[in-house]
Amino acid sequence: MAAHRCSCWSWLLILFSLSVFVVADIHETTPVNDHHGGVDHNAQTAEQTADQPAVEERRWEATEVKEAATVDAAADIQGTSAPETVVPSSVPQPKDDFQEELVIRPLHSGDIYASFQFRTLWDTDFMRENKVSHYRLFPKSLGQVISKFSVRELHISFTQGYWRTMQWGQPFIPSPPGAELWVWFQDSVTDVDATWKELTNVLSGIFCASLNFIDSTNTVQPSASFKPLGLGNVTDHSFLRYATLPREIVCTENLTPWKKLLPCGSKAGLAVLLKSEKLFHSSFHSQAVHIRSVCQDWQCKTTSWELRQTLNSVFDLHNSGQTKREWSLFKMFSRTLTEACPLASSSKLYIDITDNPQGEQFELSPATSLLSQAVVLGDRRTFSVYDLTQETTFGTVRSLNLLIRWKSNEGEMLRPLLHAERYVAGYGLQTGEIHTLMYNNHPYRSFPVLLLDSVPWYLRLYIHTLSVTSKGKDNKPSYIHYEPSKDRVKPHLLEMLIQLPPNSVTEVTVQFERALLKWTEYPPDPNHGFYVGSSVISSLVPSTVAMHTNSTRERPLFSSFFPCKEESSYFVRIYTEPLLVNLPTPDFSMPYNVICLTCTVVAVGYGSLYNLLTRSFQIEEPNPGLAKRIANVIRRMRGVPPL
């Protein structure tokens, strides 16, 4: 029996020794093989590099896979060891990704349009029962908002200034002056209005804005506008809410929490250029946050959440004190680029050189040989690309200060095919008329537009006076949706589908009556006026080039935000100016006069009567003379009663 136990223990000891030997052998042979493979690869790459001559000709931007291979080869040439770069197959790849881009477009007026794009993708499900607890690149504050309020899509923007379409062209992502918020909720939300109210209060705290003033009086439920930009063909618009605050002022306290949502903050990458004193000194400034679900591949087998943070700014040539048409990163932002965000998989700077193919309009320094083409807003644009993930981009000084110097003032900007204006007509403080002008500058094609107007309740619309005219003739809308307002409860909502004839101006007019508010409903500066939000115009505009429908093609972020529905058209959304309307305002000095008069009457009349009724009167004898007082003193000394 003892011998049997000894034999069992012997066999176990032998098996254990063999297993340890095999594991040790594997750990010893694997790095050696990888190292030899890396050496061979380095030798081949070095030979290829030596054989290729150095050329200064421009080259087109490669795809993402080729760029990654080039980066790996460059790392091997620099002597990076293979065991440090090889990732074991057992380690799971991160499910999130971060990209950053800056697009600079020189305008014909001498101004500069700068557009920042930051995109974070995360393959996760915020709607599952066990809440997401680990966040790497995606901001936790927004992830909790999506999970708690069952948000399908969220779009919020803060804008200071008005985008001048006829001078600057179409922006990459439009936004109205003030604050704009529109949200699609999941079908599981039972009380949309209560969830919407709570969501606005939470977002007000996150972005340090006045979104808590959004209530039922400035919230509408569009029936045709603002379709989802992400996945899902939602037809039930009861889960959509839209609101604007046209008087919202954008300042540093809104920019700071916006920058904190970035993975690198404002410490590295393109975000170091976001200096508040420079951005808010520009002619136009807009910052936005867009959250939606997108496909990860062209077959859409897997989906992920996309957080896209955008910031657009236009730097005016005259307001900045420039004496000549010359711009640089330091003149625009008071800073230069020194590195990319370490957490970004892609960090690029694009310069629009479409109108400067041979360098006759302006000079770009330092020059780059990498070019890229993209169809942006129906026009094929050419860009010079600076890859910030490459050390050669920054040169020997480890700093990139891009310089744009104009050579000629000639050249014409491509006139936008669609733009709109709006103003208030009439006289007096009782009635008025709202005019909306929509311009179709296409020479031979007509296209429909969807117009959305949200008018506050204190402007009582006369909907029977609504008229739509094009080229002096009536233009009957093919679709009209109108919801009347209710005093102090909800605003007017008007949606119309109008066909714009080619090369025409379509005018939409409607009359209104001004309401008389209660004296407690007026703001502190009632004579300044009351703001009415911008009109929203959505349309599929005919494109100048055929849109590329292959979704797997690598494209810049600024060219892929709005989906393309047709090959010959592109989607565009524009906003008109906000309106400033005067309402009948009482003389607020009269209450002050009444209060002063009342206080005077109370103080003089009632005060005197109260004093007479409550005061006690006593009769005092006149003071005796000096001789009598001396006599009384002598009498007291003698013990005799005084006189």
Side-chain angles (χ1 to χ4, degrees):
M1 200 63 185
H4 179 70
R5 286 197 300 266
C6 292
S7 62
C8 292
W9 282 109
S10 301
W11 283 108
L12 290 175
L13 182 60
I14 293 172
L15 291 175
F16 179 78
S17 302
L18 290 175
S19 62
V20 171
F21 176 78
V22 171
V23 171
D25 187 33
I26 292 175
H27 282 285
E28 291 176 0
T29 56
T30 303
V32 173
N33 294 335
D34 293 341
H35 180 71
H36 284 293
V39 171
D40 296 338
H41 180 67
N42 292 346
Q44 294 176 3
T45 309
E47 292 175 1
Q48 294 175 3
T49 307
D51 294 339
Q52 294 178 356
V55 294
E56 297 295 336
E57 298 179 356
R58 293 184 174 183
R59 65 184 188 279
W60 293 103
E61 183 180 5
T63 59
E64 185 177 1
V65 176
K66 294 182 180 179
E67 289 179 356
T70 306
V71 172
D72 293 339
D76 292 339
I77 293 174
Q78 293 174 3
T80 306
S81 60
E84 294 180 357
T85 58
V86 175
V87 179
S89 59
S90 60
V91 178
Q93 296 294 331
K95 295 184 178 181
D96 50 359
D97 180 69
F98 175 68
Q99 297 176 343
E100 58 179 2
E101 290 181 0
L102 169 58
V103 188
I104 295 180
R105 177 196 293 175
L107 304 177
H108 292 277
S109 59
D111 304 334
I112 287 289
Y113 172 38
S115 177
F116 292 84
Q117 302 270 339
F118 304 93
R119 183 176 68 174
T120 304
L121 292 174
W122 193 13
D123 181 13
T124 187
D125 185 10
F126 288 109
M127 304 305 165
R128 62 187 181 189
E129 296 181 358
N130 50 340
K131 303 298 182 182
V132 179
S133 58
H134 178 67
Y135 291 81
R136 196 177 78 98
L137 300 178
F138 204 94
K140 186 176 182 180
S141 58
L142 296 182
Q144 291 176 341
V145 166
I146 298 174
S147 177
K148 177 176 176 57
F149 299 104
S150 300
V151 174
R152 184 190 299 272
E153 279 193 24
L154 187 146
H155 305 270
I156 182 173
S157 65
F158 301 95
T159 305
Q160 188 71 30
Y162 177 70
W163 182 268
R164 306 181 185 277
T165 306
M166 297 306 296
Q167 298 181 14
W168 302 334
Q170 293 286 0
F172 295 132
I173 299 180
S175 58
E180 181 192 41
L181 174 65
W182 57 285
V183 179
W184 277 94
F185 294 96
Q186 299 284 351
D187 301 342
S188 58
V189 178
T190 56
D191 191 350
V192 179
D193 292 329
T195 307
W196 165 258
K197 180 61 179 176
E198 189 176 355
L199 175 62
T200 55
N201 285 279
V202 172
L203 294 177
S204 177
I206 293 177
F207 294 100
C208 197
S210 303
L211 299 179
N212 55 309
F213 286 98
I214 294 179
D215 53 15
S216 61
T217 60
N218 48 27
T219 300
V220 295
Q221 179 184 319
S223 63
S225 303
F226 295 100
K227 295 292 184 181
L229 298 180
L231 297 178
N233 186 14
V234 184
T235 58
D236 190 356
H237 284 257
S238 62
F239 296 98
L240 170 64
R241 293 295 181 272
Y242 174 80
T244 58
L245 294 175
R247 200 177 180 179
E248 180 71 12
I249 304 299
V250 186
C251 56
T252 307
E253 63 183 7
N254 306 118
L255 180 63
T256 301
W258 185 90
K259 291 191 295 186
K260 290 182 178 180
L261 299 176
L262 298 173
C264 294
S266 58
K267 305 299 181 182
L270 296 175
V272 299
L273 302 178
L274 303 179
K275 199 174 181 180
S276 57
E277 53 265 32
K278 284 294 185 179
L279 292 176
F280 293 112
H281 191 65
S282 58
S283 300
F284 176 84
H285 170 267
S286 176
Q287 60 188 56
V289 172
H290 306 276
I291 302 176
R292 61 179 181 177
S293 56
V294 295
C295 296
Q296 285 190 343
D297 51 8
W298 66 277
Q299 294 181 346
C300 205
K301 293 183 178 179
T302 57
T303 62
S304 60
W305 285 91
E306 180 195 63
L307 166 64
R308 185 172 297 205
Q309 296 178 243
T310 63
L311 190 145
N312 300 314
S313 182
V314 176
F315 295 92
D316 188 83
L317 179 66
H318 304 286
N319 291 344
S320 59
Q322 298 274 20
T323 58
K324 54 184 178 179
R325 295 163 63 98
E326 181 178 308
W327 289 97
S328 65
L329 291 181
F330 189 80
K331 288 184 178 180
M332 287 187 287
F333 306 104
S334 295
R335 292 176 182 174
T336 59
L337 293 173
T338 57
E339 62 176 346
C341 175
L343 299 175
S345 61
S346 174
S347 179
K348 296 179 181 179
L349 172 61
Y350 291 85
I351 308 296
D352 193 343
I353 60 171
T354 306
D355 302 329
N356 188 52
Q358 304 297 331
E360 66 277 2
Q361 293 290 335
F362 56 86
E363 179 185 357
L364 193 61
S365 176
T368 177
S369 59
L370 187 60
L371 299 178
S372 176
Q373 273 194 352
V375 177
V376 185
L377 298 175
D379 187 18
R380 190 175 299 278
R381 313 294 295 182
T382 304
F383 301 90
S384 293
V385 185
Y386 295 83
D387 193 351
L388 303 183
T389 58
Q390 303 292 331
E391 294 184 359
T392 56
T393 304
F394 302 97
T396 57
V397 295
R398 291 297 301 165
S399 178
L400 177 61
N401 185 22
L402 193 67
L403 178 63
I404 301 176
R405 183 183 295 108
W406 265 259
K407 296 181 179 179
S408 173
N409 298 334
E410 299 179 357
E412 296 181 357
M413 183 191 69
L414 181 64
R415 188 170 63 166
L417 296 180
L418 174 65
H419 75 281
E421 301 173 353
R422 192 163 69 145
Y423 62 91
V424 177
Y427 58 91
L429 294 177
Q430 182 178 2
T431 60
E433 195 172 42
I434 298 178
H435 292 250
T436 304
L437 304 179
M438 295 176 290
Y439 297 83
N440 179 9
N441 296 322
H442 201 284
Y444 56 87
R445 287 195 59 178
S446 64
F447 52 86
V449 297
L450 185 61
L451 173 65
L452 181 143
D453 260 331
S454 176
V455 183
W457 63 268
Y458 45 76
L459 299 183
R460 294 165 179 166
L461 297 182
Y462 294 150
I463 200 64
H464 68 279
T465 63
L466 177 66
S467 65
V468 182
T469 57
S470 300
K471 295 183 177 181
K473 299 180 181 179
D474 291 339
N475 188 349
K476 185 177 180 180
S478 57
Y479 170 80
I480 297 179
H481 173 75
Y482 174 68
E483 294 182 8
S485 68
K486 188 178 295 185
D487 286 357
R488 300 173 180 84
V489 176
K490 68 175 185 177
H492 301 268
L493 174 62
L494 177 62
E495 289 182 283
M496 294 185 296
L497 184 62
I498 306 173
Q499 187 78 13
L500 302 185
N503 198 15
S504 65
V505 180
T506 302
E507 183 178 12
V508 180
T509 61
V510 61
Q511 298 180 7
F512 64 89
E513 179 185 2
R514 296 173 170 90
L516 183 62
L517 305 180
K518 298 178 181 179
W519 72 276
T520 56
E521 295 175 341
Y522 286 91
D525 52 346
N527 293 306
H528 178 76
F530 292 79
Y531 283 89
V532 180
S534 304
S535 296
V536 186
I537 300 174
S538 307
S539 176
L540 284 175
V541 179
S543 176
T544 58
V545 296
M547 297 294 291
H548 198 286
T549 57
N550 187 6
S551 60
T552 61
R553 181 181 179 183
E554 182 69 14
R555 293 187 297 173
L557 301 182
F558 54 87
S559 65
S560 60
F561 183 75
F562 288 113
C564 300
K565 299 299 182 182
E566 296 180 12
E567 186 175 355
S568 60
S569 303
Y570 65 96
F571 179 82
V572 65
R573 177 176 292 145
I574 62 175
Y575 297 88
T576 63
E577 307 93 333
L579 299 179
L580 186 60
V581 182
N582 290 323
L583 295 182
T585 305
D587 186 2
F588 285 99
S589 64
M590 293 306 296
Y592 172 76
N593 297 334
V594 171
I595 292 173
C596 292
L597 179 61
T598 303
C599 292
T600 303
V601 171
V602 170
V604 175
Y606 179 74
S608 301
L609 180 61
Y610 181 79
N611 191 18
L612 291 174
L613 293 176
T614 58
R615 178 180 296 180
S616 60
F617 296 93
Q618 296 180 356
I619 300 176
E620 292 186 0
E621 297 180 356
N623 294 331
L626 180 59
K628 189 175 181 179
R629 289 198 297 269
I630 295 174
N632 287 335
V633 172
I634 297 173
R635 290 174 69 88
R636 288 193 190 96
M637 294 174 60
R638 296 174 59 186
V640 180
L643 296 176

